[in-house]
Amino acid sequence: MFEDEVYDCIRQYDLSANIVRDSSDSELPGKTICIPEKNIVFHLIPIPFSGMCSIEPDLFQKKSLEYVSRSVPLIHLWQDQWIRKQEIIRSRIAALLGFGTHVHARQTIVRRIDKNDMSRFFDANHLQGSVNARYAYGLYADDRLVAAASFSSGRAVVRDGIAGRSFELLRYANLLEHRVVGGTGKLIAAFIRERHPDDMMTYADLDWASGKGYRALHFRQIAVTPPQMFWIHPDEMIRYYPHRLPSELTESFDRQNGGELSDDSLFRSGYVKIYNAGNLKYLLML
């Protein structure tokens, strides 16, 4: 059902989409949906995937970097995210394929937004939800918030022997079914005018992005972060960091066994270990 739903979603926007039963890339498990006319590949990952335990932790990252080198977007689309964040994923698919309401950044006004508005906006429009941030800015078109970015506090750094203050761009998102052309650049420029950072860093999620947009804004890639590991139970479809497993699970195991949870005990409880594709780390010197 997951694969059929994604296929139907993509076919709404491009009838040339072709589902491949056995991946055209022999190393990449699962089905893929190829869109030859737009040179985009969606990799569908159901949970549990029958061969998931035998997949190398860095396989998805390696394939993502290979596709980046070929200038072909490879989107790893996980079943748990489709189930829990389907509206956001549908909107992102539409944007990738050129659909949705387009707004030009020059038609918008920049305003600071408070933490409550920031949290609501990112929880509704960003695949990873909101995160604690020191600063947040929004773009408004006709008094409607159509894009937002959040930034960290400054921290002292020394780069090439010179001390400075560095900030992180934590989140950027468009309103669902919208794409603000030039929105990221306009929000970053507003932040730079007000806070005067010496540099700014950010991350591009390799499950979805190649970092092309950041490179266009003169960020340079400085690192590739390792794939992130999560535990997930197919009945819940909730991702847990290894150090943030459900308290009832860890407490129950501790009472019964007098020790920490092991991988074997989690497998026996029905949990699956997954690894995403990691991130590209970018830096903008100012």
Side-chain angles (χ1 to χ4, degrees):
M1 185 179 295
F2 155 63
E3 293 157 335
D4 291 341
E5 287 177 353
V6 175
Y7 183 50
D8 289 344
C9 171
I10 293 172
R11 292 272 295 180
Q12 290 178 20
Y13 305 110
D14 197 311
L15 292 175
S16 73
N18 177 39
I19 192 164
V20 182
R21 292 295 167 185
D22 296 312
S23 174
S24 56
D25 189 320
S26 59
E27 290 184 272
L28 200 60
K31 299 174 183 176
T32 58
I33 296 176
C34 303
I35 306 180
E37 294 181 0
K38 294 186 171 64
N39 207 27
I40 296 175
V41 178
F42 292 89
H43 172 217
L44 312 187
I45 312 172
I47 296 174
F49 181 74
S50 59
M52 194 167 283
C53 293
S54 62
I55 295 173
E56 291 296 322
D58 62 349
L59 174 61
F60 294 161
Q61 181 173 96
K62 284 198 273 190
K63 300 315 294 184
S64 289
L65 294 174
E66 179 186 315
Y67 276 71
V68 167
S69 70
R70 291 157 45 188
S71 298
V72 177
L74 172 65
I75 313 301
H76 299 291
L77 212 166
W78 294 82
Q79 183 181 11
D80 64 301
Q81 293 182 326
W82 177 259
I83 289 172
R84 303 189 68 83
K85 300 278 189 174
Q86 185 172 146
E87 190 176 9
I88 296 174
I89 292 176
R90 285 181 177 274
S91 178
R92 293 192 70 171
I93 289 172
L96 280 169
L97 299 180
F99 290 82
T101 300
H102 284 63
V103 179
H104 289 277
R106 63 177 178 272
Q107 301 171 321
T108 65
I109 297 172
V110 181
R111 296 178 191 162
R112 286 283 299 273
I113 57 177
D114 62 29
K115 288 189 176 182
N116 289 332
D117 287 341
M118 176 194 74
S119 295
R120 282 193 294 267
F121 187 83
F122 287 123
D123 285 341
N125 297 284
H126 196 286
L127 194 58
Q128 297 173 350
S130 185
V131 68
N132 287 334
R134 178 66 177 84
Y135 307 98
Y137 294 74
L139 292 179
Y140 287 82
D142 298 324
D143 284 329
R144 189 182 191 192
L145 183 59
V146 293
S150 64
F151 302 85
S152 70
S153 300
R155 65 184 183 91
V157 296
V158 177
R159 301 196 194 278
D160 299 325
I162 300 173
R165 276 198 320 157
S166 178
F167 293 78
E168 180 179 349
L169 168 60
L170 297 167
R171 292 282 189 270
Y172 174 83
N174 295 297
L175 181 66
L176 291 184
E177 311 300 336
H178 287 69
R179 181 181 173 223
V180 182
V181 181
T184 311
K186 185 166 183 174
L187 288 169
I188 289 174
F191 178 80
I192 291 171
R193 284 195 302 271
E194 288 196 7
R195 308 312 309 175
H196 308 292
D198 294 301
D199 68 54
M200 182 181 298
M201 51 85 61
T202 193
Y203 295 91
D205 178 4
L206 271 171
D207 272 352
W208 276 89
S210 65
K212 180 180 178 181
Y214 291 130
R215 293 193 294 274
L217 294 172
H218 307 295
F219 283 80
R220 62 182 177 89
Q221 182 186 324
I222 59 171
V224 180
T225 68
Q228 177 65 57
M229 189 267 275
F230 301 93
W231 287 102
I232 186 168
H233 197 291
D235 292 342
E236 297 177 340
M237 291 296 185
I238 299 173
R239 295 187 178 197
Y240 295 104
Y241 289 98
H243 60 286
R244 293 183 183 173
L245 286 161
S247 57
E248 61 270 18
L249 181 67
T250 55
E251 290 169 2
S252 172
F253 186 85
D254 184 60
R255 285 195 304 269
Q256 295 176 29
N257 301 277
E260 294 184 358
L261 275 168
S262 65
D263 284 8
D264 285 343
S265 63
L266 284 164
F267 286 132
R268 286 196 300 271
S269 297
Y271 283 82
V272 178
K273 183 188 290 187
I274 64 173
Y275 293 86
N276 66 12
N279 302 281
L280 298 176
K281 185 176 181 179
Y282 283 92
L283 179 68
L284 176 66
M285 298 299 297
L286 299 164

